[in-house]
Amino acid sequence: MAALRQYDDLRRPALNALVLANRALGPEEIIARTAEHGGPLPADHAAAVSGRYKELSLATVADVNDHPSWTVVPQPDVR
């Protein structure tokens, strides 16, 4: 039970921030801003939007890719 509480204490702030960001468009902000802009967003604007969202997650690419429960296990080809 203590481990679950520790995990909850560690992850709750980041997850709450992501939930709130999703309620305010989250990653869809790029799509919404594109429509307002009348075409593709400048790359730096799109990168800023995605960068803010990435910072909220408090995860790095290595965190996601190296974590065993998030790693896709190659499946044998059954053809």
Side-chain angles (χ1 to χ4, degrees):
M1 193 63 156
L4 185 56
R5 189 174 306 113
Q6 181 181 8
Y7 175 81
D8 184 61
D9 290 345
L10 176 69
R11 294 304 302 155
R12 184 179 300 263
L15 292 176
N16 283 347
L18 284 173
V19 167
L20 293 175
N22 282 335
R23 289 179 184 165
L25 292 181
E28 292 82 8
E29 181 180 353
I30 292 175
I31 297 167
R33 299 295 175 246
T34 297
E36 292 170 3
H37 185 66
L41 285 180
D44 59 334
H45 188 157
V49 170
S50 60
R52 285 193 312 270
Y53 194 75
K54 179 181 171 184
E55 287 175 19
L56 288 173
S57 73
L58 300 177
T60 66
V61 171
D63 291 336
V64 174
N65 290 338
D66 295 341
H67 193 281
S69 67
W70 298 324
T71 302
V72 176
V73 178
Q75 299 296 311
D77 188 4
V78 292
R79 286 188 244 170

